[in-house]
Amino acid sequence: MSRRRTLGTKKKVALLVSAAAVAGGGAFVMASTSNAAQSPQTAAESTVCQGLATALGNNQRFIEGQRSAPDAQSAARIANREAVIAQIKVQQEASGCVVGESAQGSQPAAGQPSQAASPSAPASAPASQAPPAGNAASGQQVCNGSTVTLSGEAGAPAASSNQFPAGTKLKVTNLDNNKSTTVEVTSVSGSCALLNNAAFEQVREPGKFLIRRALIEKVG
């Protein structure tokens, strides 16, 4: 009887140790996952972070342009864009991105072909020889290869641009979901077409702050 009790006790102890090991392993996995989630992601690691970094970079470039060639309205424009940058940083933190990371996503990286480039465009032609987008006829595709992100500005659907004057109407189509919006350019920015929050919501994919494959057309 004594030996049977001893064996029974050993079995119970073994089961308890096994259960504790499983529980401990699960706790370790959860802790590791939690620590990984706390590590901020870079633009290269997340599409959301890339879109926010691009928006931040576009606004910073716009501010630099205003400071290098100021006019009577530059101070007000700069103050507005600084507020937009502050809001983008809040969004970066909330999305788990590196706060303050800046990128210019409106132009292809050096040496990299654009995903949305026109097949008929000669690959060897220097960018400086391309006709200005502002001179494009109505209904013509413009800014081939440009990605589109948001400015972070509120208000009715609108766009800002560094190539089209205020009053120009642009149709922006997200080729990844075939959603489009037609907006009027109301201000200057650091990219071909920078959509405000309301306009971007009309064409965005859920959870994304960047349109990688965009079709931009001048329609008025």
Side-chain angles (χ1 to χ4, degrees), residues 53-74:
T54 300
L56 184 60
N58 285 337
N59 281 284
Q60 288 174 333
R61 186 166 66 174
F62 171 77
I63 290 175
E64 291 172 1
Q66 290 294 305
R67 286 175 174 164
S68 63
D71 58 31
Q73 300 298 322
S74 289

Side-chain angles (χ1 to χ4, degrees), residues 61 106-107 143 160-164 185 187-193:
R61 186 166 66 174
S106 59
Q107 297 179 3
C143 304
S160 54
S161 175
N162 65 353
Q163 300 191 38
F164 298 99
V185 174
S187 60
V188 180
S189 70
S191 60
C192 173

Side-chain angles (χ1 to χ4, degrees), residues 95-208:
S95 301
C97 306
V98 176
V99 177
E101 184 179 18
S102 173
Q104 292 294 339
S106 59
Q107 297 179 3
Q112 296 294 325
S114 167
Q115 295 179 354
S118 170
S120 60
S124 60
S128 60
Q129 293 182 5
N135 294 335
S138 179
Q140 182 176 341
Q141 181 178 349
V142 295
C143 304
N144 294 343
S146 289
T147 57
V148 176
T149 186
L150 76 168
S151 66
E153 294 178 291
S160 54
S161 175
N162 65 353
Q163 300 191 38
F164 298 99
T168 303
K169 289 187 178 180
L170 300 176
K171 180 180 179 181
V172 178
T173 302
N174 184 346
L175 297 177
D176 289 325
N177 60 12
N178 291 321
K179 291 184 178 181
S180 63
T181 181
T182 299
V183 291
E184 183 175 324
V185 174
T186 58
S187 60
V188 180
S189 70
S191 60
C192 173
L194 192 64
L195 301 179
N196 70 354
N197 291 350
F200 196 82
E201 285 296 331
Q202 295 177 344
V203 294
R204 77 183 303 167
E205 292 181 272
K208 294 187 178 181

